[in-house]
């Protein structure tokens, strides 16, 4: 309503400053390739929260301008700070006067992922339903994006405070977050801390900001070789380098070529300046065929010579050796391989460079696929109007109606001011690989913490493979940390009150159950066995992966999962980000859980019903009795493990409800009620006639309902039919009924 509700606090004499957690959206939902430090500085006073806002923050379709009035522009803290405040509707002045107290940014920061400047306030944690990547992000680890956002923000605030009259606007600001746990033991010791997997994409700055950048390293090499800063330009090389070892006496050129292989840049002379250009740039221009000069004098006008290397000359495997920080700087390897090619050549790249496993994997992928893209080379001539083109530029030429994008490798000026151009095919997408790395050995020796095991005990209907003769309780065990090597389940009849000896071993496993949480609410379903194409379910997994299946596999029972208390199946699992999936093509209410197809909520537990679940036989004497269970991680102590109370009800032995209830009247209003039975075991419809009887005998009861009250029970039924005579209807209701509500057991 426009009221300055916090002003009584800010104007209190005991308050010295106004504290703000400043996680404003800065850049307007851009991809990382379009975000620069200059753009971040620009959008601190521009964009969402400054010029406009969204009336629907979730969908972000209702963009509404502030119309030049900064009163409600929540990113414009300067206007709030530099104005007197008056509440609307006769509320009067608040006591705040312009510049009354300084503003502090008690927190500001950015996650270390691409596009972090778009939405700095979000974080990625697959165990949380509030886990998000910034808008416009592809969910990729990007220390440089975080570094650029922090640099640009600090530069903006420093410059703003230096302006006349604004010296106290934000005199102090605190970057979130510097963790008190000592780096690099955090995050390297993943067997000690359970949240180490969040460090790479989180707001932490420990270990992310202290490294040098590639341009600074190259500048030092060039200056040692005798060049001065006016001789070169390395401003485009902003990649962070965690370490580069020179342990012999290479030439400067040899060191540069080694870095070039690891960080993908070109060196070229431009107007007397040694220029370093990062690869992966977009095409500068497209040159039509009629603008190119012929390369021959024959009867056929040939504008470009295009050469394609044979497949056998190309690599099918690239191996990258590097120094892994997470392995105590010991050598590690990542590789990339093409499986369905005839090529047999292999490339081995060995770098005295400190890399993360993810980046080393990217180097392998990019090196392999740029070699295949660059198998096509070009030679052509251009008129003087293109004399400004130089090596490392990316251009597109059109030959015979086909566009070819290429990176110029040579540009030779000819006597008549024409240029002879040589190039190799270029694909910007090749430099954007992001496949998970292979695991490398983690450093250790400084401490060891055995991860806990999360235990979920399940009282489920019988699964298709069950024989149906015994009660079966299922247990899903998930690992809460790395280094998990299995767990053992123990049970106590008295909750351990008679001492540790009361717990006896039940079962053991080394398989992790695939468990997660529902991000959205799975909508209600009343469509029966028809595939639910209207609803989807987004899940975040604690561990493991999901996969799509065929229609046949779906109908044969694959991809079954427990969501809340409903068993579903899903045909398609679309990977959204790391361990985050969108499930579609759903079969709902499986295995007798059709009564659970409503009432879901975001945060429902998701457990994949696969072979990782433990099966524990339960005698009938234990049904309904609370027992206490512990899932003890291998190497942990029974006494240190929390217990879980659970009462098993024997649901695997409970018959499925009847279906397809129908009623037929004769001419005297006598009602015959029929239904179709189901079976919980051996339910495959193999003979086309009927499924076998899954119980020792067939018995039914039918309740005749009057609202919530049972007015008659028809019992002793041995087949799927019951008679409800007109006389009985008159006894129960005073007259034969046009409609009757029944329940069949």
């Amino acid at each position: 309503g426009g009221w300055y509700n916090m002003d009584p606090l800010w104007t209190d004499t005991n308050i010295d400053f106004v504290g703000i957690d400043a996680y404003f959206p800065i850049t307007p939902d851009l991809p990382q390739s379009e975000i620069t430090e200059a753009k971040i500085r620009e959008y601190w006073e521009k964009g969402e929260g400054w010029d406009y806002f969204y009336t629907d923050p979730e969908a972000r379709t209702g963009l509404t301008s502030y119309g030049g009035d900064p009163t409600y522009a929540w990113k414009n803290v300067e206007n709030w700070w530099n104005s007197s405040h008056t509440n609307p509707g006769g509320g009067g002045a608040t006591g705040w006067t312009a510049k009354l107290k300084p503003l502090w940014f008690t927190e500001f920061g950015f996650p270390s992922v691409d596009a972090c400047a778009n939405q700095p306030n979000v974080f990625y944690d697959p165990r949380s339903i509030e886990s998000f990547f910034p808008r416009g992000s592809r969910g990729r680890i990007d220390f440089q994006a975080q570094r650029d956002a922090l640099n640009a923000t600090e530069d903006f605030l420093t410059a703003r405070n230096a302006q006349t009259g604004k010296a106290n606007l934000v005199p102090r600001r605190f970057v979130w977050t510097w963790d008190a746990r000592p780096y690099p033991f955090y995050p390297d010791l993943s067997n000690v801390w359970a949240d180490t997997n969040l460090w790479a994409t989180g707001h932490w700055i420990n270990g992310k900001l202290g490294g040098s950048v590639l341009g600074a390293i190259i500048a030092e090499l060039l200056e040692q070789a005798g060049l001065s800063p006016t001789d070169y330009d390395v401003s485009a090389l902003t990649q962070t380098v965690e370490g580069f070892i020179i342990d012999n006496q290479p030439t400067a050129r040899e060191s540069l070529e080694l870095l070039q292989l690891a960080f993908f840049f070109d060196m070229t002379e431009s107007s007397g300046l040694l220029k370093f250009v990062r690869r992966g740039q977009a095409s500068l221009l497209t040159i039509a065929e009629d603008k190119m000069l012929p390369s021959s004098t024959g009867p056929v006008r040939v504008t470009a010579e295009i050469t394609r290397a044979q497949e056998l000359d190309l690599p099918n495997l690239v191996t990258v050796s590097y120094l892994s920080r997470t392995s105590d700087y010991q050598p590690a390897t990542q590789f990339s391989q093409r499986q369905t090619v005839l090529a047999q050549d292999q490339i081995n790249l060995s770098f005295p460079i400190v890399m993360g496993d993810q980046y080393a994997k990217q180097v392998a992928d990019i090196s392999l696929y740029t070699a295949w893209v660059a198998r096509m080379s070009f030679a052509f001539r251009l008129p003087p109007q293109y004399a400004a083109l130089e090596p490392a530029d990316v251009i597109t030429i059109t030959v015979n109606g086909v566009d070819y994008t290429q990176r110029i490798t040579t540009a030779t000026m000819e006597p008549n001011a024409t240029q002879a151009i040589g190039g190799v095919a270029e694909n910007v997408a090749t430099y954007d690989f992001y496949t998970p790395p292979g695991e490398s050995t983690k450093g250790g020796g400084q401490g060891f913490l055995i991860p806990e095991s999360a235990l979920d005990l399940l009282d489920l209907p019988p699964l298709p493979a069950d024989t149906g003769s015994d009660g079966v309780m299922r247990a899903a065990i998930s690992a809460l940390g790395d280094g998990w090597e299995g767990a053992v389940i123990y049970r106590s009849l008295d909750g351990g009150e008679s001492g540790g000896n009361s717990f006896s071993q039940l079962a053991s496993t080394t398989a992790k159950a695939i468990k997660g949480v529902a991000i959205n609410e799975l909508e209600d379903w009343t469509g029966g066995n028809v595939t639910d194409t209207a609803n989807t379910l987004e899940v975040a997994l604690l561990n493991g992966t999901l996969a799509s299946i065929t229609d046949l596999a779906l109908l044969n029972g694959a991809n079954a999962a427990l969501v809340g208390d409903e068993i579903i199946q899903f045909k398609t699992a679309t990977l959204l980000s790391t361990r985050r999936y969108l499930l579609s093509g759903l079969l709902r209410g499986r295995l007798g859980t059709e009564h659970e197809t409503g009432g879901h909520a975001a945060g429902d537990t998701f457990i994949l019903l696969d072979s990782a679940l433990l099966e524990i036989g339960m005698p009938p004497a234990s049904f309904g009795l609370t027992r206490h269970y512990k899932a003890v991680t291998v190497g942990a102590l029974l006494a240190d493990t929390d217990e879980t109370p659970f009462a098993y009800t024997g649901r695997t032995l409970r018959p499925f409800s009847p279906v397809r209830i129908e009623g037929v009247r004769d001419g005297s209003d006598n009602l015959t009620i029929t239904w179709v039975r189901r079976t919980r075991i051996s339910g495959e419809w193999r003979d086309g006639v009927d499924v076998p009887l899954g119980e020792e005998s067939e018995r039914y009861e039918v309740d005749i309902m009057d609202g919530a009250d049972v007015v008659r029970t028809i019992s002793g039924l041995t087949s799927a039919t019951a008679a409800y005579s007109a006389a009985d209807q008159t006894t129960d209701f005073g007259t034969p009924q046009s409609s009757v509500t029944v329940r069949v057991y």
Side-chain angles (χ1 to χ4, degrees):
W3 281 71
Y4 293 90
N5 295 301
M6 294 292 287
D7 277 8
L9 175 67
W10 302 133
T11 57
D12 190 282
T13 57
N14 295 292
I15 299 297
D16 298 314
F17 64 91
V18 177
I20 300 176
D21 286 357
Y23 294 105
F24 302 115
I26 303 175
T27 43
D29 299 2
L30 298 174
Q32 184 59 43
S33 59
E34 298 179 24
I35 298 175
T36 62
E37 289 194 31
K39 184 151 290 187
I40 294 171
R41 290 192 297 270
E42 174 189 358
Y43 272 90
W44 262 102
E45 293 185 315
K46 190 175 179 181
E48 183 181 0
W50 189 283
D51 300 314
Y52 56 83
F53 66 97
Y54 290 98
T55 57
D56 51 348
E58 295 293 332
R60 296 175 69 79
T61 57
L63 187 150
T64 305
S65 172
Y66 287 116
D69 181 3
T71 302
Y72 299 106
W74 37 265
K75 192 162 71 174
N76 193 343
V77 295
E78 179 182 340
N79 178 75
W80 182 94
W81 175 71
N82 198 25
S83 304
S84 297
H85 299 168
T86 302
N87 288 319
T94 68
W96 177 274
T97 57
K99 307 178 185 178
L100 179 66
K101 308 270 179 78
L103 298 181
W104 288 14
F105 283 178
T106 44
E107 286 183 26
F108 80 98
F110 302 85
S112 52
V113 296
D114 62 309
C116 60
N118 293 341
Q119 196 179 11
N121 65 303
V122 298
F123 66 96
Y124 171 73
D125 183 350
R127 296 169 296 188
S128 170
I129 62 173
E130 295 181 340
S131 174
F132 300 100
F133 286 115
R135 291 183 293 268
S137 172
R138 302 176 72 179
R140 301 185 171 184
I141 299 169
D142 196 332
F143 293 173
Q144 194 63 44
Q146 180 192 40
R147 182 172 182 154
D148 291 347
L150 287 168
N151 279 341
T153 297
E154 185 63 16
D155 289 346
F156 166 77
L157 294 174
T158 300
R160 206 67 177 144
N161 280 352
Q163 296 179 19
T164 302
K166 298 177 180 177
N168 291 323
L169 179 59
V170 190
R172 295 191 184 185
R173 50 263 187 193
F174 302 84
V175 176
W176 182 268
T177 178
W178 181 274
D179 203 298
R181 291 171 289 185
Y183 177 86
F185 301 112
Y186 178 80
D188 287 357
L189 297 183
S190 58
N191 56 349
V192 175
W193 290 292
D195 63 343
T196 57
N197 62 311
L198 306 180
W199 173 85
T201 57
H203 286 67
W204 287 274
I205 60 174
N206 313 49
K208 298 177 182 178
L209 302 185
S212 183
V213 295
L214 179 61
I217 293 174
I218 291 177
E220 184 172 342
L221 290 171
L222 296 176
E223 290 176 18
Q224 289 183 3
L227 277 69
S228 68
T230 58
D231 296 327
Y232 58 83
D233 179 7
V234 294
S235 59
L237 304 183
T238 59
Q239 303 99 307
T240 300
V241 182
E242 296 190 67
F244 177 42
I245 297 175
I246 300 177
D247 57 0
N248 49 30
Q249 293 186 345
T251 64
R253 183 187 185 95
E254 289 171 341
S255 295
L256 290 174
E257 289 175 344
L258 190 63
L259 291 169
Q260 188 178 24
L261 290 173
F263 294 101
F264 306 104
F265 61 88
D266 290 303
M267 300 172 281
T268 183
E269 182 187 0
S270 178
S271 302
L273 194 69
L274 187 58
K275 187 177 179 181
F276 293 79
V277 182
R278 192 170 178 175
R279 290 188 187 171
Q281 306 300 315
S283 177
L284 294 173
L285 75 164
T286 299
I287 301 175
E289 191 166 12
D290 59 3
K291 298 293 185 181
M292 301 164 62
L293 300 176
S295 58
S296 66
T297 57
V300 179
R301 187 179 189 272
V302 178
T303 55
E305 297 178 4
I306 302 177
T307 305
R308 185 179 175 87
Q310 63 177 346
E311 187 172 305
L312 291 176
D313 292 335
L314 299 172
N316 82 322
L317 176 69
V318 172
T319 301
V320 172
S321 300
Y322 60 102
L323 302 177
S324 173
R325 177 180 55 77
T326 56
S327 300
D328 290 337
Y329 300 96
Q330 297 302 305
T333 59
Q334 299 288 337
F335 71 91
S336 183
Q337 185 172 16
R338 299 198 69 169
Q339 303 286 353
T340 57
V341 295
L342 299 176
Q344 298 295 319
D345 194 17
Q346 299 182 4
I347 295 177
N348 296 306
L349 301 174
S350 181
F351 297 118
I353 298 174
V354 180
M355 296 180 181
D357 298 338
Q358 179 65 69
Y359 186 73
K361 174 61 173 171
Q362 285 180 263
V363 173
D365 286 336
I366 294 171
S367 299
L368 177 62
Y369 285 93
T370 52
W372 280 78
V373 171
R375 69 187 297 189
M376 186 177 293
S377 58
F378 305 87
F380 52 93
R381 297 167 62 244
L382 294 176
Q385 71 187 87
Y386 297 106
L389 291 176
E390 56 190 18
D393 285 343
V394 178
I395 63 172
T396 302
I397 63 172
T398 302
V399 179
N400 296 327
V402 179
D403 290 341
Y404 297 95
T405 300
Q406 61 187 285
R407 174 169 42 87
I408 297 176
T409 54
T410 61
T412 305
M413 187 66 71
E414 297 178 331
N416 55 0
T418 62
Q419 274 207 107
I421 301 293
V424 294
E426 182 86 336
N427 184 349
V428 173
T430 305
Y431 298 94
D432 200 25
F433 272 98
Y434 202 82
T435 54
E439 293 187 4
S440 63
T441 303
K442 302 295 183 184
Q446 302 298 326
F448 185 78
L449 182 65
I450 298 172
E452 295 182 20
S453 298
L455 174 63
D456 288 274
L457 297 169
L458 308 177
D459 190 358
L460 297 176
L463 302 187
D466 290 353
T467 62
S469 58
D470 297 312
V472 178
M473 180 177 69
R474 287 180 161 83
I477 299 181
S478 309
L480 301 180
D482 296 331
W484 187 85
E485 297 181 354
V488 180
I489 295 182
Y490 291 82
R491 178 173 62 194
S492 169
L493 303 182
D494 61 2
E497 294 197 7
S498 58
N501 293 332
S502 69
F503 278 94
S504 58
Q505 181 175 333
L506 279 181
S508 62
T509 184
T510 57
K512 298 177 185 177
I514 296 180
K515 179 184 176 181
V517 64
I519 301 299
N520 65 303
E521 176 185 331
L522 182 58
E523 296 296 331
D524 296 353
W525 177 249
T526 58
N529 289 327
V530 177
T531 302
D532 180 1
T533 58
N535 299 307
T536 58
L537 179 66
E538 185 177 341
V539 296
L541 300 183
L542 184 64
N543 58 269
T545 60
L546 302 176
S548 300
I549 55 174
T550 64
D551 287 327
L552 181 60
L554 183 72
L555 295 177
N556 281 331
N559 273 2
L562 182 68
V563 180
D565 291 319
E566 179 189 355
I567 295 176
I568 70 166
Q569 289 178 256
F570 57 93
K571 178 184 176 183
T572 304
T574 303
L575 182 64
L576 301 178
S577 58
T578 304
R579 292 197 296 276
R580 196 159 182 163
Y581 292 85
L582 184 68
L583 308 183
S584 57
L586 308 178
L587 291 180
R588 303 288 300 275
R590 311 301 287 167
L591 301 176
T593 63
E594 58 276 353
H595 55 289
E596 302 289 356
T597 56
H600 287 284
D604 278 352
T605 298
F606 172 92
I607 297 176
L608 189 69
L609 304 181
D610 63 0
S611 59
L613 300 185
L614 282 172
E615 298 180 0
I616 301 171
M618 301 292 289
S622 67
F623 293 2
L625 300 178
T626 298
R627 304 299 191 216
H628 294 256
Y629 299 84
K630 290 188 176 188
V632 183
T633 305
V634 172
L637 298 177
L638 178 65
D640 293 338
T641 304
D642 293 335
E643 60 187 57
T644 301
F646 186 75
Y648 176 71
T649 66
R651 197 173 175 189
T652 49
L653 301 181
R654 190 177 304 158
F656 290 166
S657 63
V659 294
R660 295 177 58 185
I661 301 173
E662 298 177 357
V664 177
R665 297 181 184 278
D666 62 16
S668 302
D669 279 337
N670 297 309
L671 179 62
T672 300
I673 305 166
T674 60
W675 54 88
V676 174
R677 68 171 175 84
R678 293 190 287 173
T679 184
R680 60 187 174 86
I681 56 175
S682 300
E684 297 83 0
W685 196 28
R686 293 172 178 164
D687 59 5
V689 179
D690 202 356
V691 292
L693 183 65
E695 315 302 332
E696 293 183 6
S697 60
E698 188 173 4
R699 296 286 188 272
Y700 302 96
E701 286 186 354
V702 176
D703 284 347
I704 308 298
M705 308 300 298
D706 182 7
D709 298 327
V710 178
V711 297
R712 180 181 296 271
T713 297
I714 307 173
S715 57
L717 303 173
T718 59
S719 62
T721 182
Y724 187 29
S725 67
D728 288 342
Q729 296 176 50
T730 300
T731 300
D732 296 337
F733 296 100
T735 181
Q737 298 294 290
S738 60
S739 65
V740 176
T741 299
V742 302
R743 290 178 180 169
V744 182
Y745 296 89

